[in-house]
Amino acid sequence: MKTSFNLEKYGIETEKIYRNSSVPVLYELGLRLEKGTAISNVGALMTYSGEKTGRSPKDKRIVRHPDSENNIDWGPINIGLDEHTFMVNHERALDFLNICDHLYVVDAFAGWDPKYRLKVRIICTRAYHALFMQNMLIMPTAEELENFGEPDYVVLNAGGFPANRYTSEMTSKTSVDLNLERKEIVILGTQYAGEMKKGIFSVMNYLMPLENVLPMHCSANVGEKDDVTILFGLSGTGKTTLSADPKRRLIGDDEHCWTDQGTFNIEGGCYAKAINLSEENEPDIYNAIKFGTVLENVVYDKFTREVDYTDTSITQNTRASYPIEYIDNVQIPCVAGHPENIIFLTCDAFGVLPPVSKLTPEQASYHFISGYTAKVAGTEMGVTEPQATFSACFGAAFMMWHPNKYAELLAEKIKEHKATAWLVNTGWTGGAHGVGSRMSLKYTRAMIDAIHNNDFDNVEFTTDEEFGVQIPLSCPNVPSEILIPKNTWEDKEQYQEVKKKLVGLFNENFKKFEADVNSEIVEAGPKADFTLQS
C-alpha cells in the first residue's frame, strides 16, 4: 500500500518509504536487514560500510556548466564532468533505487542560521545511512517537516551499486557527482556515509562565498563570556578532541560559516575519529557514544559487544556519529558571535614547529592557504621519515573556489572583527617522529586554556627566526623548556637541518599560490636563509 509520501517526481516508484524514522525503527531495520550491523554494550549501532572505509576524493566530479564553471577552481581536486555522463550515472542510480524493496528519506537542514540554511533531502537504501544523516543534519520539528516543501538539494545515494567503469570519465566503480544546476548529488559504488556529509559541505563551500560568507572546515566553541574560538585542522590534528572542552560550550566539531552576524554550525551532529578513543583522554566524546550513536567499522568482542578502539584491522578511520546534544556542554541553537581567537592546528611530525605561537594577520592568511600538517610515514623498507601534507584552507578536498577566495574572506573578517590568530602544534617534541614524542594532550589543552584566559597578554615573546611567528616564553601548567622546540632537541644541528627541510617544503608548496595572493602574504611565509646555531 502506498504511503502519502512518494518519490515519483524523481522517477523513483519504490512504494515503501521510511521518512525521518525514529531511532528505534532505524535500529530494528538495520539489525534485521544489513550485514555487519550490531549493538554495542553501551547501545550504539555498530555498522560496516563495506569495501570503502573512507572518502574517495579521486572519484568526485563536478558538472561543468556555463552558470558556474568560471567560479570553480578546476584541477585534481575539482574534476570536471559533462552533463551527459552525469545523467548516465543519474539513470544508473535511479535503476538501482527502483529495484529496492524499501528506501529511506531524510528531510533536514544544513545550517543553524535560518537566513543561510539549506533544505536537504537524502534518498538512500540503508538504515545506517539514514541514521547517520539524521545525526549529522539538523532535524526539523514536526511542524517544519509538515511544511518542508521542495528541498534545495537532493542526494541520491545508490552507493550499493557500482558505477560502470567503461562510462566516459569514470576512473573506478566509485563515483560521487555534484550537479550545481540540477542541485543534485549522485553516489555510486561506495557505502561510506561520509560522502553524503562532505557532499553537502562542498555545496555550502560553493554557495556561501556568493553571499560574502566564509565556509570553514573547523570546530568551534564559546566561553562563559560568549567569546568564540574556531579551530582549523586536518584529520588527526585534534580538531574534534580540543573543541570538546568541558569549560566551554561546543558549537560544532567540523563545519561552520562566518557571516556578518557571527558564526553558525552547518551540522546537527559530530563525526569523531574513534581510533584509540579513551574515557581518560576524550571523556566528552567517549560518553557521547550511546543509543542513537553510529559507530563505523569498529572491531568489538562478539560476546560482550565491547568495542576495542585500538583495533585498526578494518580501518584506521573508525568513526562515531552522534547528535551534538550528546555532548554535555553545548550551545543550542549552534549559533554564536564573531570569533575572538582563530587557532590553526597542525600535527608536525618533524618536531620543529613551536607548540603554540601567535600570528600576524598576514601570517594567518599564509598558514590558512598552506593548510599544513605532517603524517607519519609507513615502516616499509625501514622508512620512518614524516611526510608533509598541505591542504589549502585546511580542507582543500571540499573547497570549490580558488583557495585565495576563502583566504581573502578570512583576512577581511579577522581584520574587521580584530580576531587573534594562533598556530598550535599537536605533533612531535624533542625530535622528529622516531626520536621525539607526541606532545602531551594535557599540555596542548593548557596552552589553549591560556589563549582563552588571555594569559599570553602579559608574557614575553620571542620571534622564531625562520617562521617569524611569536613564541610565548611561559605558559601556565606547561614546562617552559618545551615552548621553544630547539631546546627539546639533543642534536641542535639536526634540528636546524630538519627545520630547513620543512621551510623548503612550505616554500615549494606555496609557489602555486604566489601569483594569486598579495605580496604581503607571500612575504609572511618562512625564510630559508639558515645559519647553523650551536
Side-chain angles (χ1 to χ4, degrees), residues 406-419:
Y406 304 102
E408 283 178 352
L409 276 168
L410 180 68
E412 177 189 306
K413 291 183 183 299
I414 286 176
K415 190 174 179 183
E416 183 180 349
H417 302 290
K418 298 180 172 58

Side-chain angles (χ1 to χ4, degrees), residues 53-55 132 136 192 197 217 233-241 253-254 270-278 281-282 284-286 289 293-296 298 307 309-310 312 315-322 375 438:
T53 59
R55 288 182 301 102
F132 176 90
M136 301 317 301
Y192 180 65
K197 162 188 154 68
H217 186 219
L234 297 173
S235 181
T237 57
K239 182 160 53 74
T240 298
T241 300
D253 82 323
D254 196 41
C270 300
Y271 194 33
K273 285 196 104 171
I275 185 171
N276 295 324
L277 181 66
S278 71
N281 286 335
E282 298 168 89
D284 294 281
I285 297 169
Y286 189 88
I289 296 173
T293 296
V294 175
L295 278 176
E296 276 183 328
V298 294
V307 176
Y309 291 110
T310 65
T312 58
T315 178
Q316 292 225 349
N317 190 37
T318 52
R319 295 270 182 171
S321 158
Y322 46 87
K375 294 179 180 176
R438 188 86 191 254

Side-chain angles (χ1 to χ4, degrees), residues 163-189:
N164 185 331
R165 286 178 289 181
Y166 296 103
T167 302
S168 168
E169 301 185 67
M170 292 298 101
T171 45
S172 76
K173 62 184 181 181
T174 297
S175 183
V176 180
D177 303 335
L178 167 59
N179 190 323
L180 290 164
E181 282 65 39
R182 284 181 62 94
K183 300 185 175 181
E184 289 180 334
I185 297 170
V186 171
I187 299 172
L188 293 168

Side-chain angles (χ1 to χ4, degrees), residues 86-308:
F86 174 85
M87 292 311 298
V88 169
N89 287 339
H90 185 273
E91 190 72 5
R92 196 167 172 87
L94 291 188
D95 288 344
F96 178 65
L97 295 171
N98 270 310
I99 63 166
C100 293
D101 171 70
H102 61 276
L103 294 173
Y104 301 90
V105 169
V106 177
D107 281 345
F109 303 112
W112 280 88
D113 187 331
K115 183 178 177 183
Y116 299 104
R117 75 182 184 186
L118 284 186
K119 291 191 292 183
V120 177
R121 173 163 292 162
I122 309 292
I123 301 170
C124 56
T125 64
R126 294 189 62 178
Y128 146 47
H129 289 159
L131 180 55
F132 176 90
M133 289 309 286
Q134 287 185 189
N135 284 346
M136 301 317 301
L137 292 170
I138 301 153
M139 296 305 291
T141 63
E143 185 181 352
E144 286 172 333
L145 186 61
E146 180 85 18
N147 301 306
F148 196 77
E150 290 302 307
D152 297 310
Y153 269 79
V154 177
V155 177
L156 296 167
N157 187 347
F161 195 59
N164 185 331
R165 286 178 289 181
Y166 296 103
T167 302
S168 168
E169 301 185 67
M170 292 298 101
T171 45
S172 76
K173 62 184 181 181
T174 297
S175 183
V176 180
D177 303 335
L178 167 59
N179 190 323
L180 290 164
E181 282 65 39
R182 284 181 62 94
K183 300 185 175 181
E184 289 180 334
I185 297 170
V186 171
I187 299 172
L188 293 168
T190 173
Q191 297 186 70
Y192 180 65
E195 295 287 10
M196 295 181 287
K197 162 188 154 68
K198 290 304 187 187
I200 297 300
F201 186 41
S202 296
V203 169
M204 292 292 278
N205 272 298
Y206 178 76
L207 296 176
M208 291 297 101
L210 293 169
E211 302 191 55
N212 201 43
V213 171
L214 173 64
M216 303 176 291
H217 186 219
C218 69
S219 58
N221 58 29
V222 58
E224 289 178 2
K225 298 176 182 175
D226 293 332
D227 55 304
V228 175
T229 291
I230 55 179
L231 299 98
F232 289 96
L234 297 173
S235 181
T237 57
K239 182 160 53 74
T240 298
T241 300
L242 293 167
S243 63
D245 183 335
K247 299 182 287 299
R248 297 173 66 81
R249 302 186 300 282
L250 182 69
I251 304 168
D253 82 323
D254 196 41
E255 302 173 5
H256 294 82
C257 289
W258 190 350
T259 72
D260 291 338
Q261 291 77 45
T263 317
F264 72 84
N265 187 358
I266 293 172
E267 301 186 292
C270 300
Y271 194 33
K273 285 196 104 171
I275 185 171
N276 295 324
L277 181 66
S278 71
E279 187 171 16
E280 181 187 2
N281 286 335
E282 298 168 89
D284 294 281
I285 297 169
Y286 189 88
N287 292 325
I289 296 173
K290 55 188 177 184
F291 183 75
T293 296
V294 175
L295 278 176
E296 276 183 328
N297 301 316
V298 294
V299 178
Y300 57 91
D301 185 290
K302 296 294 184 282
F303 178 69
T304 65
R305 295 298 197 264
E306 188 172 349
V307 176
D308 181 356

Side-chain angles (χ1 to χ4, degrees), residues 5 56 79 83 86 118 240 324 328 447 449 455 488 524 533:
F5 182 84
S56 302
I79 305 167
E83 178 83 25
F86 174 85
L118 284 186
T240 298
I324 195 163
D328 285 341
M447 292 174 217
D449 284 347
D455 290 329
T488 69
Q533 300 163 2

